[in-house]
Amino acid sequence: MSQAAELSCVCGKSGNCVIYNRSVCAAGSAEDLAQLDRISHQRTYARGSVIQAQGEPCDIVGNIVEGVVKLSSTSVNGDDHIVGLLFPSDFFGRLFAEESRFSYEAATDVTLCTMNKPAFERFLVEHPAIEHEMLKATLDELDAVREWAAITNGHTTMQRVATLLYVFSRRAVNQHAKGNAPASRIVHVPLSRRDIADYLGTTPETLSRNIQMLARSKVIRNINAKHFELLNPAELIRHSGETRADLDRIASV
Amino acid sequence: MSQAAELSCVCGKSGNCVIYNRSVCAAGSAEDLAQLDRISHQRTYARGSVIQAQGEPCDIVGNIVEGVVKLSSTSVNGDDHIVGLLFPSDFFGRLFAEESRFSYEAATDVTLCTMNKPAFERFLVEHPAIEHEMLKATLDELDAVREWAAITNGHTTMQRVATLLYVFSRRAVNQHAKGNAPASRIVHVPLSRRDIADYLGTTPETLSRNIQMLARSKVIRNINAKHFELLNPAELIRHSGETRADLDRIASV
DNA sequence: AGCGGCCATTGATAAACGTCAATGTGCCGG
DNA sequence: CCGGCACATTGACGTTTATCAATGGCCGCT
């Protein structure tokens, strides 16, 4: 998900494809890609709509072309927690299971490249080299989820907020970079405060207070609710409690 | 990891093997299993010893035969957080990566069935059906990690403690069950208070207070530091904030 | 069996955080 | 252009939890 936007996509007409971006198809022939193309098609979902509900049988998988999808778990009490965010080129859906343990919901308006799940599963079984790449990608994802869990588990809210802002700033660079564009100082966080809070395991109020704290100390500047200017990246990194190397690794997963 | 202990093991002389238990080898022939047997051997580690250090090149993988292995991430500040616990029959090690993002450490004395990593990787690539099972197992693990992250993220310490105790009680049932043994009321948690606290994202002090709270309200009884008697399972479930079905699913992963 | 060290528990205190309530701000439709 | 509504911010307060410090109990060692 750190690839530039102009990569061609094998599934559908345009946009990123996780299968390609994650190198899953690096081992696939042109015929394989054409076959994938046949079972895929693009689809859009409005912000807030549920792509796949928790516990429901899941029949589609695919990848994000544009927008952000939140992966969340809703408990019996009604409060739900976001266990992951999916960005353009990320794979979504639960392969090889009857139903999804989590719900996939559009955090922004999204465009997806969807595939029929059984068809894609059959494709994988028939193409071991590609399934091998899928395994590697899943192992990477496992590391990333564990790493994020370690961050949310043991750090203060300020550290989580700083980490998130830095990660989003890096992600934006990757998305906007055409060639060697300079790092943008504008950080775009396309999520609502509630979604961010759910992701960080806190409340909108505490989140807001921490954001304003960073703003008062001139680390960031509020442009509007979803845009920030990064005034002092070094201080942001310091607040995150992580090394710059760790942050960059997290951002590049 | 919810399998009974008497399953035979393909790698080494005795004990559980994740490859078998997770059905990864269900698709493998007898010759395949014999080949696996040739590249594996058992090894023991004393409590506290590091099996694989964070960031170090990793050359072995395998599965837990006996004991508990903690998977932890140590930050620059020195405080480490446990992102996972590995039990008998669980797979350990990071396939298809140069180095491990986390450290594997013996939380108790452990017996491992180890394999040379490159050799096992080659084996997987040559046996797509088994690699397919490996992918399914990894996807299951991903769900489990996310589920645990949702629990530690949004719940109170008491809810986490109750959840952990219940999960360990279920796990003990599975481990001890020979045939249809009745559910044991004795819960064995073979970890130090610090390890439990790290796993739950809290401190030993707060953990201790919550345990004593449960003891005072007659939900559990302290036999000693690592053994508890489950006096009121229904109340424990209530304190966990989860449904019984959810807890049982978590325990069986 | 006695000793010493490590681990668990308990207590006091302060900081961090969630909750409830009110105010402010931006966005969309009339 | 204005009103309404959802969202973000700010404030006050109570609870939870981490931290610091001390005590108590268990286990291994000699």
Side-chain angles (χ1 to χ4, degrees):
Chain A
M1 75 194 175
S2 58
Q3 307 291 337
E6 57 272 25
L7 281 176
S8 65
C9 178
V10 298
C11 54
K13 344 296 155 212
S14 67
N16 287 333
C17 176
V18 63
I19 307 303
Y20 188 89
N21 281 348
R22 288 203 175 181
S23 304
V24 174
C25 284
S29 68
E31 304 94 271
D32 296 342
L33 305 189
Q35 186 178 343
L36 266 184
D37 205 22
R38 252 173 275 127
I39 63 172
S40 69
H41 68 277
Q42 267 186 230
R43 218 174 137 177
T44 63
Y45 289 82
R47 175 172 183 260
S49 58
V50 176
I51 297 159
Q52 199 155 105
Q54 183 174 333
E56 295 292 309
C58 44
D59 49 354
I60 64 165
V61 296
N63 62 87
I64 321 292
V65 174
E66 201 178 341
V68 181
V69 171
K70 56 182 180 180
L71 185 57
S72 58
S73 164
T74 305
S75 80
V76 282
N77 319 328
D79 48 39
D80 63 7
H81 291 279
I82 296 180
V83 295
L85 291 175
L86 276 46
F87 295 87
S89 90
D90 283 347
F91 187 84
F92 77 90
R94 177 55 160 93
L95 288 169
F96 306 119
E98 294 300 316
E99 51 183 60
S100 175
R101 263 295 302 140
F102 305 98
S103 69
Y104 290 86
E105 202 173 324
T108 66
D109 290 346
V110 293
T111 306
L112 304 181
C113 175
T114 67
M115 292 181 282
N116 177 274
K117 186 169 82 86
F120 185 61
E121 286 173 351
R122 256 179 275 117
F123 175 84
L124 281 181
V125 172
E126 289 161 9
H127 297 80
I130 296 178
E131 189 164 54
H132 175 75
E133 296 303 319
M134 203 76 195
L135 173 57
K136 289 205 293 187
T138 306
L139 289 169
D140 286 345
E141 198 172 356
L142 193 52
D143 273 2
V145 171
R146 284 190 166 127
E147 188 145 22
W148 187 254
I151 289 171
T152 52
N153 228 334
H155 296 55
T156 64
T157 301
M158 176 56 89
Q159 290 175 314
R160 304 179 206 179
V161 172
T163 301
L164 183 110
L165 284 175
Y166 187 82
V167 168
F168 268 86
S169 80
R170 299 293 304 171
R171 202 181 292 284
V173 168
N174 288 328
Q175 281 173 4
H176 296 154
K178 307 263 183 187
N180 291 11
S184 167
R185 299 199 151 270
I186 307 298
V187 184
H188 179 210
V189 184
L191 306 168
S192 73
R193 289 291 191 269
R194 167 147 296 283
D195 281 346
I196 300 172
D198 282 346
Y199 189 45
L200 297 180
T202 183
T203 60
E205 292 94 329
T206 301
L207 170 63
S208 185
R209 275 183 251 273
N210 279 276
I211 290 174
Q212 302 311 323
M213 239 152 134
L214 288 172
R216 271 194 296 279
S217 56
K218 307 290 184 195
V219 177
I220 60 173
R221 183 175 69 84
N222 287 44
I223 299 171
N224 59 45
K226 294 188 169 57
H227 291 264
F228 306 90
E229 185 183 354
L230 197 46
L231 301 175
N232 194 338
E235 264 301 285
L236 191 66
I237 290 172
R238 203 184 59 75
H239 277 101
S240 78
E242 307 278 331
T243 66
R244 193 198 164 106
D246 282 342
L247 290 171
D248 285 341
R249 184 165 33 68
I250 294 166
S252 69
V253 171
Chain B
M1 71 194 174
S2 58
Q3 308 291 337
E6 56 272 24
L7 282 176
S8 66
C9 179
V10 298
C11 53
K13 344 296 155 213
S14 67
N16 288 334
C17 175
V18 63
I19 307 303
Y20 187 89
N21 281 350
R22 289 204 174 180
S23 303
V24 172
C25 285
S29 68
E31 303 93 276
D32 296 343
L33 304 190
Q35 186 178 343
L36 267 183
D37 205 22
R38 249 173 276 128
I39 62 173
S40 67
H41 68 278
Q42 266 186 230
R43 217 175 139 177
T44 62
Y45 290 84
R47 174 172 185 259
S49 58
V50 175
I51 297 159
Q52 200 155 105
Q54 183 173 333
E56 294 294 308
C58 43
D59 49 354
I60 63 164
V61 296
N63 61 88
I64 320 293
V65 174
E66 202 178 340
V68 181
V69 171
K70 55 182 181 181
L71 184 57
S72 59
S73 164
T74 306
S75 79
V76 283
N77 317 329
D79 49 37
D80 63 5
H81 292 279
I82 296 181
V83 295
L85 292 175
L86 276 46
F87 295 88
S89 90
D90 283 348
F91 187 84
F92 78 89
R94 178 54 161 93
L95 288 169
F96 306 119
E98 294 301 319
E99 53 184 59
S100 175
R101 263 295 304 140
F102 305 98
S103 69
Y104 291 84
E105 202 174 324
T108 66
D109 291 346
V110 293
T111 306
L112 304 180
C113 175
T114 67
M115 293 181 283
N116 177 273
K117 185 170 82 88
F120 185 61
E121 287 173 350
R122 257 180 273 116
F123 175 84
L124 281 182
V125 171
E126 288 162 8
H127 298 78
I130 296 178
E131 189 165 55
H132 174 75
E133 296 302 319
M134 202 76 195
L135 173 58
K136 290 205 291 184
T138 306
L139 289 169
D140 286 344
E141 198 171 356
L142 193 53
D143 273 2
V145 171
R146 284 191 165 127
E147 188 145 22
W148 187 254
I151 289 171
T152 52
N153 228 333
H155 296 55
T156 64
T157 300
M158 177 54 90
Q159 289 176 315
R160 303 179 208 179
V161 172
T163 301
L164 183 108
L165 285 175
Y166 187 82
V167 168
F168 267 85
S169 80
R170 298 294 302 171
R171 201 181 294 283
V173 169
N174 290 327
Q175 282 174 2
H176 295 154
K178 307 263 181 186
N180 290 12
S184 168
R185 298 199 153 271
I186 307 299
V187 185
H188 179 210
V189 184
L191 306 168
S192 73
R193 290 290 190 268
R194 167 146 297 283
D195 281 347
I196 302 172
D198 281 345
Y199 189 45
L200 297 181
T202 184
T203 59
E205 292 94 330
T206 301
L207 170 63
S208 184
R209 276 182 249 273
N210 279 277
I211 289 174
Q212 301 310 325
M213 240 153 138
L214 287 172
R216 269 194 297 278
S217 56
K218 307 291 185 193
V219 177
I220 60 173
R221 183 175 69 85
N222 287 44
I223 298 171
N224 60 45
K226 293 187 170 57
H227 291 265
F228 306 90
E229 184 183 355
L230 197 46
L231 301 176
N232 194 339
E235 264 300 286
L236 191 67
I237 291 173
R238 204 184 60 73
H239 276 101
S240 78
E242 306 280 330
T243 65
R244 194 201 162 106
D246 282 342
L247 290 171
D248 285 341
R249 185 167 31 68
I250 295 166
S252 69
V253 172

